[in-house]
Amino acid sequence: MTDLTIRPFFWRPTNLFPETRLLSRTRDGIVDTSYGEFGTRVRSLLAALADRDFGSGDRIGTFGWNHHRHLETYYAAPLSGAQLHTINVQLGDDDIVFIVEDAGDDILFVDPGEPFETIERLWSDLPVERVVVMDETAPETDIDAVAYEDLIAESDPITDEEMPDLEEDFPAGMCYTSGTTGRPKGVEYTHKMIYAHAMMVMTPAGLDISERDVVMPVVPMFHVNSWEFPYAATMAGATQVYPGPSPSAADLLELIEREGVTMTAGVPTVWIDLLEHVDEHGGDLSSLERVVVGGSAAPEEMMRRYEDEFDVTVEHAWGMTETMSIGSVSRPKARMDDVDRSQKYEKRRKQGLLSPGLEMRVVDDDGEDVAWDGEAAGELWVRGPSVITEYYNRPQANEDDFEGNWLKTGDIVTVDEDGYVEIVDRAKDVIKSGGEWISSIALENALMANPDVVEAAVIGVPHEKWQERPLATVVTAEESDSDEDQLRAHLEETLDQPDWWLPDEIRTVDRIPKTATGKFDKQGLRDELDVDDAETADR
């Protein structure tokens, strides 16, 4: 029996779709290659790694954005028998040093420009000895750095017979959690886990990726395997478009128009920004069929606008680092084809149906299963072949966050009678007021349903009588004249909840801080507003 490794994910596109294009936006312009060229270059990189004695037992770190060289490293590292460790380029210095030390990376593949400058600045604090600069040339530097293209040029591609032997339980990938409630935690993926998850994502019950698609993953390649697109889209033989370093809304629109992108994915704030850009400057989204969103809930107003104005379906997905990203996708079941539009949106705005291969429980504080009635809330537990059962080098977290082979996700959810999961809140973000739960996500979605509100984030603020009360912050459109009273009236009219759910205060701010992956950074917001020790007033 053949082990379940990523080798077939490399063999299939390079042999069956060698002419299919791979597009990559770089600092120097668009690089237009193919799966055939990709195969040759990966084989050359494998030879270069072998010449430098990198292989089984080693850990290869990457510190870069979404482009063709990063994709090649995604394959060469695990195909060599080593483990690929993607590192978030937007982290602070302390977290970068901690993660590289904790993982014990042996070599780093680093983007030119700011990412390289960061590594160069931190060099004396890092345990690695070598850096590969993912560019044509390496800058002049005192550290041991070589240009990626020099590695490719100096090594002849290895043959199938020369490729290292792999086993499905070999470590193949590694990513660290965001660390919003403490130090980031290492999550390891085996070949078998990547195989299972990529196949799950590729299926119609997952993200339904085929060779007919033109896929543009905007979710960064340093974040949870870019939601598995580098493996699933490659295995499918789809055309891929990589948007490069720090793409703006204008950059994304240009790539969609130029390459006829049919499917893309990223956090909701990316697609809110794209809508604003198109509103202001115009643009052609006619090729686009689907936008997959995750990381936080997409406002229904945004979903409706994409569908009504551009015939683009926004699909909610849910997942986390510990589940290798995609763990559920929300689309109406076949028997719902004839229901009215509002009922379909009732399903689509949720996080959806669990992905094939996974199982779930929803448990209360006593560890008892709650009813699937769309009302009872509890913590989501999941297990399956793509779900980890322990963290790397974190014994206390392993004791706290797992129950046997069940992962305790920390997400507070409801499940309706049809099995659709809806996240009520993160356990750390849910607001407990007077012994009752208030969903910050529900309040945020209701606020962002107002056309005058561009972004909204809600946090709990200490209250002497009620323990906590909600404080809302909003970024409004430039032409908006909505004030706090008008926004409160909007909530009263649209939010199907009791009055005590309403925020005690709604503050208009210039910006809401975001994490390195584009989610609202609620701890950063607390720090900026200095509200942890403040109290809201009774209304």
Side-chain angles (χ1 to χ4, degrees):
M1 178 179 174
T2 302
D3 277 10
L4 303 179
T5 72
I6 71 163
R7 187 169 292 161
F9 288 66
F10 176 70
W11 182 92
R12 189 172 192 269
T14 56
N15 284 276
L16 303 185
F17 304 102
E19 73 290 343
T20 297
R21 298 167 67 218
L22 296 174
L23 288 301
S24 180
R25 171 181 164 266
T26 71
R27 298 190 309 167
D28 301 319
I30 300 294
V31 176
D32 192 337
T33 64
S34 67
Y35 280 125
E37 295 171 77
F38 163 79
T40 300
R41 287 169 60 84
V42 169
R43 290 175 184 274
S44 292
L45 184 52
L46 276 166
L49 291 173
D51 288 344
R52 287 160 176 77
D53 297 322
F54 288 106
S56 182
D58 292 318
R59 191 166 284 141
I60 296 174
T62 64
F63 197 65
W65 291 93
N66 297 19
H67 50 76
H68 65 295
R69 296 184 180 103
H70 205 166
L71 179 66
E72 291 159 7
T73 310
Y74 254 73
Y75 280 82
L79 286 174
S80 75
Q83 184 179 30
L84 177 78
H85 171 212
T86 56
I87 306 163
N88 190 328
V89 302
Q90 295 181 315
L91 291 175
D93 288 358
D94 288 345
D95 277 339
I96 292 169
V97 172
F98 170 80
I99 285 172
V100 174
E101 286 184 335
D102 191 62
D105 291 326
D106 298 291
I107 186 172
L108 293 178
F109 282 65
V110 180
D111 268 6
E114 189 173 340
F116 177 79
E117 293 166 5
T118 297
I119 296 303
E120 187 178 37
R121 183 177 68 251
L122 301 176
W123 188 247
S124 62
D125 297 320
L126 299 176
V128 296
E129 297 181 359
R130 304 179 191 177
V131 166
V132 176
V133 182
M134 292 190 281
D135 202 3
E136 298 278 352
T137 59
E140 292 187 9
T141 177
D142 292 332
I143 70 178
D144 185 357
V146 62
Y148 185 96
E149 292 302 324
D150 287 343
L151 287 186
I152 298 293
E154 72 182 29
S155 302
D156 292 329
I158 67 170
T159 64
D160 283 344
E161 291 72 23
E162 294 171 322
M163 292 185 75
D165 292 330
L166 302 174
E167 295 180 14
E168 61 188 28
D169 292 328
F170 277 8
M174 187 178 200
C175 186
Y176 275 70
T177 62
S178 59
T180 55
T181 57
R183 281 295 194 185
K185 298 186 287 288
V187 173
E188 295 188 279
Y189 313 123
T190 65
H191 277 263
K192 183 178 180 179
M193 292 173 70
I194 292 176
Y195 188 104
H197 191 251
M199 295 293 283
M200 177 194 305
V201 167
M202 196 171 65
T203 65
L207 297 185
D208 194 15
I209 304 172
S210 80
E211 59 99 5
R212 297 179 182 278
D213 283 308
V214 180
V215 179
M216 182 175 71
V218 179
V219 57
M221 293 179 80
F222 56 68
H223 179 61
V224 207
N225 287 350
S226 194
W227 294 358
E228 214 64 53
F229 280 99
Y231 294 120
T234 303
M235 176 71 157
T239 299
Q240 295 183 66
V241 179
Y242 284 91
S246 305
S248 66
D251 294 326
L252 297 179
L253 177 62
E254 180 181 358
L255 289 170
I256 291 169
E257 293 177 335
R258 169 185 166 138
E259 305 303 339
V261 172
T262 63
M263 178 184 185
T264 186
V267 295
T269 50
V270 170
W271 312 118
I272 292 171
D273 289 346
L274 181 60
L275 273 181
E276 288 188 316
H277 181 81
V278 172
D279 283 345
E280 186 172 349
H281 303 284
D284 181 7
L285 299 181
S286 59
S287 69
L288 197 58
E289 298 170 4
R290 288 186 293 152
V291 173
V292 180
V293 297
S296 58
E300 186 173 324
E301 177 66 20
M302 182 196 85
M303 297 173 69
R304 288 181 179 272
R305 281 203 60 199
Y306 269 104
E307 183 171 27
D308 292 344
E309 298 176 29
F310 305 105
D311 196 26
V312 174
T313 300
V314 177
E315 293 184 336
H316 255 138
W318 166 87
M320 48 198 307
T321 307
E322 293 87 338
T323 65
M324 298 189 69
S325 71
I326 306 296
S328 72
V329 182
S330 194
R331 57 177 70 96
K333 294 180 179 179
R335 64 176 176 79
M336 300 173 184
D337 285 349
D338 296 330
V339 303
D340 65 35
R341 190 181 185 207
S342 63
Q343 290 176 288
K344 289 180 179 177
Y345 267 103
E346 180 67 21
K347 300 300 185 186
R348 287 177 50 197
R349 66 176 180 77
K350 298 183 178 184
Q351 280 62 49
L353 301 171
L354 211 63
S355 296
L358 301 186
E359 299 175 80
M360 70 179 177
R361 293 179 60 194
V362 181
V363 302
D364 60 21
D365 290 341
D366 298 322
E368 299 295 327
D369 292 307
V370 305
W372 289 17
D373 58 7
E375 299 292 336
E379 184 181 16
L380 178 65
W381 293 10
V382 295
R383 67 182 178 188
S386 60
V387 181
I388 66 166
T389 55
E390 63 179 2
Y391 292 108
Y392 175 74
N393 195 28
R394 290 293 186 279
Q396 186 58 55
N398 290 339
E399 184 176 333
D400 295 340
D401 296 344
F402 299 91
E403 186 71 32
N405 60 357
W406 290 101
L407 166 70
K408 303 176 182 178
T409 68
D411 282 325
I412 306 302
V413 306
T414 62
V415 181
D416 66 21
E417 296 87 346
D418 294 309
Y420 285 75
V421 174
E422 181 174 15
I423 294 179
V424 177
D425 228 325
R426 288 290 292 167
K428 60 185 174 61
D429 290 331
V430 69
I431 301 164
K432 297 179 181 178
S433 184
E436 300 288 346
W437 284 0
I438 298 175
S439 168
S440 65
I441 292 176
L443 288 171
E444 289 161 1
N445 286 342
L447 283 165
M448 285 190 284
N450 186 317
D452 286 344
V453 176
V454 177
E455 295 178 345
V458 177
I459 57 176
V461 177
H463 191 280
E464 182 177 1
K465 179 178 180 181
W466 302 116
Q467 183 184 358
E468 279 189 314
R469 291 293 300 149
L471 166 66
T473 59
V474 298
V475 177
T476 57
E478 287 186 11
E479 66 279 5
S480 168
D481 57 2
S482 290
D483 58 20
E484 181 175 3
D485 289 339
Q486 290 169 316
L487 293 175
R488 185 176 303 281
H490 165 79
L491 285 179
E492 289 174 344
E493 292 172 6
T494 60
L495 190 67
D496 186 21
Q497 295 294 346
D499 289 345
W500 50 264
W501 265 55
L502 297 180
D504 288 354
E505 184 179 358
I506 303 175
R507 297 187 191 181
T508 299
V509 296
D510 293 331
R511 57 175 289 277
I512 296 174
K514 298 181 180 66
T515 68
T517 55
K519 302 176 186 178
F520 292 134
D521 182 0
K522 294 193 178 182
Q523 185 54 52
L525 182 61
R526 293 176 191 278
D527 294 341
E528 284 190 6
L529 299 178
D530 194 22
V531 296
D532 275 339
D533 296 321
E535 291 193 359
T536 58
D538 283 315
R539 291 187 62 88

